[in-house]
C-alpha cells in the first residue's frame, strides 16, 4: 500500500500550553487534526468556564489563516469545583469534559484533587448533566513503584469511583498497562480510553540507551504515565487495533522547552503533535492492522463524545523521512519524540 486516505482524525488528549509557545505548537496539531480535547493544566489551571472561554479565544486567535481547527475545552477539577460550575460548563457548549489530576501525579497537577470525597457534588453534577470525567489514572502514593501506579489506581480509585457514580461517562486517559486495557474492555457502563502513539511504539527500554557500547538516559522519552514493559505495549497494541470503539486516539502531546527536559530534574511529557499520525500509522502497520486506524483515529472518539464524525479526509503517503531535531517553541525550542529517527509514512 502506497497511500492511505482516512477521514480527518481528532486528538482526544492534547496539551497546547499558552502564549507564544501555544502559537508555535498549535499549527502542528491543526495540520493533522480537525479537533482536539485541550488539557486544562495551565498555570494557573483552567478551572472555570470563564477561563475555558478565554483560553479558547486565545487558541482561535493564534490559529493561522487557512487552518480549520476546533479546540474542545476542558475544566480542571479541584477540591473546590462546585456543582454550579459543572452546570455552567455544560450549558456553555464549549466545555466537553472535566479533568481529574490526582494532586502531584504529573506536570502542573499541584492544584489537583487531594481526595475524591471533596468532589462528590461536582461528580454528581457531571453525572446528572452527562459531562465526561477525564482521568489521569495514577496513584500518587510515593511508596508505590512508579511502574505500578496505574494498575494500583484502577483497584483503589477507579473501581470505587465508578461504583459510586455508575452513570458517569469516563475517559481513562493515556492508558499504559495491560491492567488498564483489560479494565476498559470489560467494565460495565460508559467508559473509553485514549492511547498515545508513544505507548504503542516504545517500551521502557527506550528511556535508556544500552546498546552499541553506549549508555545513557533519554529525557525526551520520559512522560507520565511512564513507558512500561513490552508485555504492556503489546496489550495496548491489541486494544488499539481491536476495533473496540472504547479505545481511541489521544496523543498526550506535551511540549516542554528543551532545557526543561534536558535537565537534572527533567519535565515529563513527549512532544508528538508534529508527526502524530505518522507515528500511529507506523504502529498500526507494524501490527498488521492499518485497516483499523481510521476507526481508532477518526470515528470512535467522536462517537464517544457525542460529536459528529468529520467529513474531510487526509492522506498519508509511504515515503521515508527523518523527524526534525527540534521545532520553535516560544523563546525556546522543543525536541519532538523520535527526533532524527526515520518514519515510513508522511502526511501529504
Ligand atoms: C503532561 C504535561 O506535560 O502537561 N505530561 C506528560 O508526561 N504526559 C501532563 C500529563 O498528561 O500527565
Ligand atoms: Zn496529558
Amino acid at each position: 500500500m502506497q497511500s492511505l486516505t482516512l477521514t480527518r482524525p481528532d486528538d482526544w488528549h492534547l496539551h497546547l500550553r499558552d502564549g507564544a509557545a501555544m502559537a508555535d505548537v498549535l499549527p502542528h496539531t491543526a495540520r493533522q487534526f480537525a479537533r482536539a480535547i485541550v488539557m486544562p493544566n495551565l498555570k494557573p489551571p483552567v478551572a472555570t468556564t470563564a477561563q475555558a472561554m478565554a483560553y479558547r479565544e486565545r487558541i482561535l486567535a493564534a490559529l493561522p489563516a487557512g487552518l480549520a481547527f476546533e479546540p474542545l475545552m476542558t475544566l480542571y477539577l479541584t477540591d473546590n469545583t462546585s456543582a454550579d460550575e459543572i452546570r455552567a460548563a455544560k450549558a456553555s457548549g464549549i466545555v466537553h469534559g472535566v479533568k481529574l489530576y490526582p494532586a502531584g501525579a504529573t506536570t502542573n497537577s499541584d492544584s489537583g484533587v487531594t481526595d475524591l470525597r471533596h468532589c462528590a457534588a461536582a461528580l454528581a453534577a457531571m453525572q446528572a448533566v452527562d459531562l465526561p470525567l477525564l482521568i489521569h489514572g495514577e496513584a500518587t502514593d510515593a511508596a508505590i513503584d512508579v511502574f505500578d501506579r496505574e494498575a494500583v489506581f484502577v483497584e483503589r480509585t477507579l473501581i470505587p469511583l465508578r461504583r459510586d457514580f455508575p452513570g458517569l461517562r469516563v475517559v481513562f486517559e493515556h492508558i499504559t498497562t495491560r491492567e488498564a486495557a483489560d479494565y476498559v474492555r470489560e467494565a460495565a457502563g460508559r467508559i473509553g480510553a485514549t492511547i498515545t502513539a508513544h505507548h504503542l511504539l516504545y517500551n521502557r527500554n527506550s528511556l535508556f540507551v544500552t546498546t552499541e557500547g553506549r549508555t545513557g538516559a533519554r529525557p525526551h522519552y520520559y512522560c507520565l504515565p511512564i513507558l512500561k514493559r513490552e508485555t504492556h505495549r503489546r496489550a495496548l497494541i491489541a486494544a488499539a487495533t481491536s476495533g473496540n470503539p472504547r479505545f481511541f486516539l489521544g496523543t498526550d502531546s506535551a511540549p516542554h522547552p528543551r532545557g526543561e527536559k534536558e535537565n537534572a530534574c527533567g519535565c515529563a511529557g513527549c512532544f508528538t503533535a508534529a508527526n502524530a499520525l505518522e507515528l500511529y500509522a507506523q504502529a498500526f502497520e507494524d501490527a498488521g492492522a492499518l485497516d483499523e486506524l481510521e476507526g481508532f483515529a477518526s470515528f470512535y472518539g467522536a462517537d464517544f463524545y457525542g460529536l459528529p464524525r468529520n467529513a474531510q479526509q487526509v492522506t498519508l503517503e509511504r515515503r521515508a523521512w527523518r523527524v526534525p531535531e527540534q521545532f520553535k517553541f516560544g523563546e525556546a525550542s522543543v525536541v519532538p519524540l523520535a527526533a532524527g529517527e526515520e518514519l515510513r509514512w508522511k502526511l501529504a
Side-chain angles (χ1 to χ4, degrees), residues 121-163:
L123 293 167
M126 289 169 61
Q127 179 172 253
V129 301
D130 196 20
L131 190 59
L133 179 68
L134 319 182
I135 299 181
H136 183 111
E138 286 193 284
T140 52
D141 181 345
I144 301 170
D145 190 287
V146 68
F147 293 97
D148 297 336
R149 287 180 190 173
E150 186 173 280
V152 171
F153 182 90
V154 172
E155 294 301 322
R156 287 196 194 164
T157 306
L158 187 56
I159 290 174
L161 168 70
R162 297 193 68 246
R163 199 166 47 222

Side-chain angles (χ1 to χ4, degrees), residues 308-328:
R309 294 179 180 181
N310 296 316
Q312 318 89 305
Q313 296 188 315
V314 296
T315 297
L316 288 158
E317 288 167 354
R318 185 184 297 286
R319 166 152 66 85
W321 65 291
R322 258 181 216 291
V323 176
E325 295 292 343
Q326 58 181 35
F327 294 97
K328 184 173 177 306

Side-chain angles (χ1 to χ4, degrees), residues 13 15 39 99 101 174 252 254:
H13 183 128
H15 299 270
M39 288 295 130
K99 181 72 189 274
Y101 287 105
H174 44 52
D252 196 18

